[in-house]
Amino acid sequence: MSALPNRILIVGGGTAGWMAAALLSKLLPQARHAISLIESDEIGTVGVGEATIPQLQLVNAVLGVDEDAFMRATLATYKLGIEFVGWGDADSRYIHAFGNTGRPIGQTPFHHFWLRGLKLGERAPLDAYCLNAAVARAGRFARGAEAQSRMLGGPVHAFHFDAGLYAAFLRQYAEARGVTRIEGKIRHAGRDAETGDVTHVMLDGERAYGADLFIDCSGFRALLIEGALGTGFESWTHWLPCDRALAVQCEGPAEIAPYTMSTARAAGWQWRIPLQHRVGNGHVYCSDAIDDSVAADTLLANLDGKPLTDPRPIRFTTGRRKQFWNRNVVALGLAAGFLEPLESTSIHLVQSAIERIVTFLPNGPIRAADVAAYNAQTVFEWERVRDFIILHYAANTRTEPFWRRCAAMPIPDTLTEKLDLFRASGRIIRIGDELFSEPGWLQVMIGQGMMPAGYHPLADAPSDAEMREFLSVIRQAVDKQAAALPSHRSWLQRHCWAA
Ligand code: FAD
């Protein structure tokens, strides 16, 4: 290991690898760091991962990329949230929308007033007070000044994009900033007999590439973090039993929904992600509870249009590496672990891990304290996202055996604490810098039928008449603002439609 980890080798060129290459080439001084990336066209990428959360805007901002250019290059559409269909009972439907719901009064969050309103006979659902949900349902979109109001701000957006085009977009950016791409298939990795660090990878044709720091983005193969270092894997399948997916693309309808759809099925769920030129679909399911052929039939029977590809099977085990950073290898993306894409979090976990790598970049030999701090932060982040995903399964009242099992399973203590607090008092506490904030937890808990026994006493401060007026003003403002926006398709066509 040289004094500085100035030779950085990224192993794998999917979304994780090229995002690492693009961001590191931007954030690290070029004179001090040589960044290379090895990928194999023969192996290819996982080819899914097309829905994001709003934090991806930060990647564009850091790279200095124009949003419209990014949208055109990746055939992207806007995403305002996720509609969950059939997740509470079979007839339930709610949107986990980005952004806020209603407005707080002083320090008291809005939903306590909404809960009081229910007692007064106000029947409007929670999402009637949420701008993002209303805009999504109306199939509309706008951003910037023309979408803003003083009372509610504007819609908060993320993106749906073509995964292959996104990797290509990032690759072009990274190569232009000096990242060297090496084509070839890695056969094995060499380790230092004394320190145990990885020293080099050996490609077809006996080509060897050495580095000081390796970033393992080799997907499910986890060539370095597991293959070379045997780091170990912590399985979470007792909480998240789905272990397979089938992915298929189909033709899209004329109107392009500005949200992801997630529909619960007998033993799993189906995603729908609309892009400019097609719709991405997939069925995530538990192979113990349903046959592959039934899963495929279910998927194909529930498409918006003609299939454009054959269903492609993907197998996975939910869980995480025991260490995300081990010796001189940091794992990102699917090499780091797997969480099902129910809340579109995996690309974000790559993004935030890269930010963390920069934070902990050694200025000399790698120190155990840095590695430990990196791992502690990453474990916290992953476990809190895991809890949020488990919530969707645990809080269901569906009748199929798979769903009954999910409702009865023991859940992590960290999740139990959150649910107990909410059930008793309507309170939601965000711990540390966990990813999902109060509005997200609220929408999913209420959306799946979990009603708290009480609300904050300060919500009793307004009179009944003031309470009704407050709720009605917000509802009307939401409806008015949503109705004033153009259709999602027309916005795309005006600003960022690909030729
Ligand atoms: P990959 O795309 O698999 O890339 C691995 C790379 O390693 C490839 O370039 C390959 O060539 C290279 N490689 C492997 N072995 C070798 C070798 N021996 N030699 C040389 N090169 C090698 N995330 C989201 O945020 N939103 C979503 O909607 C979403 N949906 C998903 C749906 C499913 C079914 C799955 C499985 C995942 C989903 N994800 C989603 C996760 C997302 O797809 C991944 O986080 C993202 O694509 C990153 O993948 P990756 O780059 O780690 O791996």
Side-chain angles (χ1 to χ4, degrees), residues 12-17 38-40 43-46 48-51 184-186 217-221 223 245 271 273 314 332-334 338 341 344-347:
T15 305
I38 298 176
E39 67 177 326
S40 160
I43 292 174
T45 64
V46 73
V48 282
E50 308 201 313
K185 206 163 164 183
I186 294 170
C217 301
S218 61
F220 287 126
R221 288 177 176 77
L223 289 178
W271 80 74
I273 299 176
I314 301 166
L332 297 185
L334 301 172
F338 187 77
S344 320
T345 42
S346 296
I347 295 170

Side-chain angles (χ1 to χ4, degrees), residues 71-254:
M71 300 281 297
R72 268 190 292 276
T74 60
L75 296 170
T77 62
Y78 285 102
K79 171 178 172 184
L80 297 168
I82 305 174
E83 184 178 34
F84 287 92
V85 180
W87 279 83
D89 60 31
D91 298 324
S92 69
R93 215 175 182 110
Y94 70 93
I95 293 191
H96 169 199
F98 306 132
N100 288 319
T101 297
R103 289 184 59 154
I105 299 182
Q107 289 210 338
T108 310
F110 171 78
H111 69 275
H112 294 281
F113 299 99
W114 174 74
L115 288 166
R116 175 167 167 223
L118 290 181
K119 292 225 166 357
L120 295 178
E122 295 286 335
R123 289 276 152 248
L126 186 66
D127 65 8
Y129 301 88
C130 174
L131 178 64
N132 258 54
V135 177
R137 285 232 160 82
R140 295 173 188 273
F141 182 79
R143 54 159 213 246
E146 76 177 88
Q148 299 284 320
S149 80
R150 271 236 312 278
M151 181 188 261
L152 302 169
V156 177
H157 67 269
F159 314 97
H160 303 124
F161 54 56
D162 181 304
L165 294 176
Y166 188 53
F169 180 78
L170 294 170
R171 172 181 166 184
Q172 196 180 20
Y173 181 97
E175 287 189 304
R177 293 189 65 87
V179 172
T180 307
R181 176 186 183 272
I182 300 156
E183 166 61 36
K185 206 163 164 183
I186 294 170
R187 290 294 174 202
H188 68 266
R191 292 180 65 183
D192 185 291
E194 222 168 90
T195 64
D197 282 358
V198 173
T199 49
H200 64 278
V201 291
M202 187 66 85
L203 270 63
D204 279 345
E206 296 307 298
R207 289 177 291 155
Y209 291 91
D212 305 309
L213 183 69
F214 291 83
I215 304 189
D216 187 350
C217 301
S218 61
F220 287 126
R221 288 177 176 77
L223 289 178
L224 302 185
I225 195 80
E226 203 58 61
L229 297 183
T231 300
F233 189 81
E234 181 178 308
S235 169
W236 290 337
T237 49
H238 48 298
W239 290 312
L240 294 166
C242 288
D243 57 355
R244 289 189 193 176
L246 287 163
V248 71
Q249 299 169 1
C250 75
E251 288 177 351

